[in-house]
Amino acid sequence: MTPHTSFRTALVLLVALSFAGCVKPDPSVALKPLVDRYVLAWNTGDVKGLEEIVSSDFQLRMTPGFEPTRGIDSLKSAIAYWRTAYPDFTITLDEVIYTQSVIAARWTIKATNSGPGSSPPTGKTVVVPGMSLLHVAEGKLVDEWIAGNDLSWMQQLGYSFAPPQAGK
């Protein structure tokens, strides 16, 4: 091996090693297990161990007003409410995008309104798409912003809407 060959080999190796260090880790490796456990809690109603993946001051924000409910106990209550009114409530993740601290998900909910809730059960099944934006800090979910199609949901349950009367 000539001195020039050794130098070129060392240079190529040095360049290769420097580029190998530039590869950013895939955020889905750390965040997908959080999302999977979170969705499992919604799909089963089993909230045991939620503290391991959700911050104690978690904020849940839903359409239409995005007013936050705060705290892990409020999240557990929300899950229990939806699973009572819709015992077969199931979220299917259609697409998920992970960054270091934000998760964007497009999902579909399928659920039958057969349990008591804020209105009498209709017995009807809804299939509604929506999207969520979840934020992560210190390895835990800190909030979720949920945008669903509330109008479609209500129409599938059999509700109808009338326009206001003129002058009232």
Side-chain angles (χ1 to χ4, degrees), residues 21-127:
C22 293
V23 176
K24 291 184 179 179
D26 180 357
S28 70
V29 172
L31 300 180
K32 185 178 183 315
L34 293 177
V35 171
D36 290 347
R37 286 183 65 189
Y38 184 68
V39 170
L40 184 65
W42 280 97
N43 285 348
T44 65
D46 183 0
V47 296
K48 287 184 226 112
L50 213 48
E51 294 84 359
E52 297 170 13
I53 63 161
V54 174
S55 171
S56 61
D57 57 352
F58 183 85
Q59 292 187 24
L60 180 64
R61 298 171 180 262
M62 295 184 185
T63 54
F66 296 106
E67 299 87 11
T69 58
R70 291 182 168 88
I72 195 163
D73 289 335
S74 292
L75 173 61
K76 289 177 181 180
S77 293
I79 291 171
Y81 170 82
W82 286 101
R83 295 215 42 89
T84 299
Y86 300 86
D88 63 348
F89 184 98
T90 304
I91 299 171
T92 301
L93 295 176
D94 301 315
E95 180 177 10
V96 183
I97 300 170
Y98 299 94
T99 70
Q100 293 302 105
S101 62
V102 180
I103 303 159
R106 184 177 55 81
W107 42 256
T108 302
I109 291 174
K110 183 176 181 184
T112 305
N113 182 218
S114 58
S118 56
S119 303
T122 64
K124 296 186 178 186
T125 298
V126 297
V127 178

